[in-house]
Amino acid sequence: MSFSLSSRAPSGPRRRSLLVGAAGVGVLVGCSPGGEGADAAGSGPSAVERARARVARDSEALLERYDAVIAAHPDLAALLTPLRGEVVRHARAFGGGKAAGAGRASASPSGSPSASASPSPAPEDPRAALTELAAAERRLADKRAEALLEVPGEMARLMASVAAAGASHAYVLTEGAK
């Protein structure tokens, strides 16, 4: 028994046509202006740029907290100065500049709520000051870890690295408070 192929043309598009069409759509989507550099509407900063600015502001606000604790408790400077230096590098990595200098931090340059719009004064007890600073580092590390889902590739890797550093800072501060 022989099987013969039907002589009539198949209805609908061929598989090859679908693949070529799908590849073309992929190319068009990949080249569209709605990538990392702009919002879907084409105006304003992208999600990555907004995330970068938010993370920089948060690092600058955290830097202000470090400065407040160091000013209130100069005897903690040996413990806090290296951690503060890392926070400065984090702010710079995300484009922060105002508070990322070697001197004391200036006010946070944003109108949006950040880790702290103006740092509260450091507690009088050095242990309480370290505990509060550790809690701020931990909250910020958690916030950054959650935000990883909102950003692509390299930005996510940088945020993950900074979140891990913040978690280790929280550990060092907690141990220092003991």
Side-chain angles (χ1 to χ4, degrees):
M1 177 185 225
S2 72
F3 288 73
S4 65
L5 294 174
S6 171
S7 62
R8 70 176 197 161
S11 64
R14 292 185 167 221
R15 193 174 3 194
R16 188 174 300 155
S17 299
L18 288 175
L19 290 174
V20 169
V25 169
V27 168
L28 289 175
V29 169
C31 295
S32 72
E36 287 187 24
D39 279 338
S43 64
S46 72
V48 172
E49 291 164 342
R50 286 189 308 270
R52 182 179 296 277
R54 183 179 60 246
V55 172
R57 284 190 308 267
D58 288 347
S59 290
E60 290 173 344
L62 183 61
L63 185 58
E64 291 175 358
R65 286 179 171 264
Y66 271 92
D67 289 340
V69 173
I70 291 171
H73 305 287
D75 52 318
L76 295 176
L79 172 66
L80 298 180
T81 299
L83 300 176
R84 182 192 182 279
E86 289 297 313
V87 174
V88 167
R89 283 187 277 289
H90 298 162
R92 285 184 183 154
F94 290 104
K98 294 206 187 246
R104 295 292 177 231
S106 61
S108 181
S110 86
S112 66
S114 195
S116 171
S118 62
S120 57
E124 290 183 27
D125 178 39
R127 285 186 175 166
L130 289 177
T131 300
E132 186 178 281
L133 198 51
E137 282 273 18
R138 198 171 298 110
R139 280 190 306 272
L140 194 51
D142 291 345
K143 179 179 175 181
R144 288 174 176 165
E146 289 174 14
L148 290 174
L149 300 174
E150 301 170 9
V151 295
E154 191 59 33
M155 179 67 170
R157 285 187 286 279
L158 182 58
M159 284 178 65
S161 175
V162 172
S168 68
H169 291 181
Y171 174 78
V172 169
L173 293 166
T174 302
E175 289 297 308
K178 288 183 180 180

